[in-house]
């Protein structure tokens, strides 16, 4: 079955950096778009970054543009999220997502599989 295993979350001070990883198995990785969503307490889950199957197109939410970078390594079946200059409002559970969509700006309804989530906490 499909498994998405996230790692790299934690607690950092404002201005710090984290690198999230999501290792995928049980699927033909290079036939799926990948994305990172996040959900803060009391808020809806939102897509913060997405990347198409070959990595030719990337999407970033306005709130993270210029600070976050999504990338993928198809031979290693892993997607990454480099998060720099973190702010307290970035605090959330971050989820890896897989989609058969051709787009990089994924919506909740586009997601075929979810990871279990990893907590990111940014202190001020």
């Amino acid at each position: 079955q499909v498994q998405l295993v996230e790692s790299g979350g934690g607690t950092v001070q404002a201005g710090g950096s984290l690198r999230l990883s999501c290792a995928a198995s049980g699927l033909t990785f290079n036939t799926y778009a990948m994305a990172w969503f996040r959900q803060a307490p009391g808020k809806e889950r939102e897509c913060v970054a997405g990347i198409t199957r070959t990595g030719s197109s990337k999407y970033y939410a306005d709130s993270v543009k210029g600070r976050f970078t999504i990338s993928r390594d198809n031979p290693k079946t892993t997607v990454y999220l480099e998060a720099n200059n973190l702010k307290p409002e970035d605090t959330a559970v971050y989820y890896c997502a897989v989609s058969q969509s051709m787009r990089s700006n994924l919506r909740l309804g586009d997601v075929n599989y979810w990871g279990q989530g990893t907590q990111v906490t940014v202190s001020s």
Side-chain angles (χ1 to χ4, degrees), residues 42-82:
K43 294 190 175 181
E44 293 186 353
R45 193 172 296 190
E46 61 170 347
C47 182
V48 295
I51 186 168
T52 51
R53 301 171 186 192
T54 62
S56 60
S57 177
K58 299 179 183 180
Y59 161 82
Y60 297 99
D62 288 343
S63 58
V64 306
K65 212 170 283 184
R67 300 188 297 121
F68 288 15
T69 302
I70 189 170
S71 61
R72 66 189 294 161
D73 187 330
N74 283 350
K76 292 184 178 179
T77 66
T78 301
V79 63
Y80 305 96
L81 185 69
E82 188 79 34

Side-chain angles (χ1 to χ4, degrees), residues 6 15 21 23 29 48 50 52 55 61 66 79 91-92 94-95 105 107 122 124:
E6 297 119 331
S21 299
F29 187 76
V48 295
T52 51
V79 63
T91 295
Y94 284 71
Y95 297 90
N105 56 329
R107 298 180 293 258
V122 184
S124 57

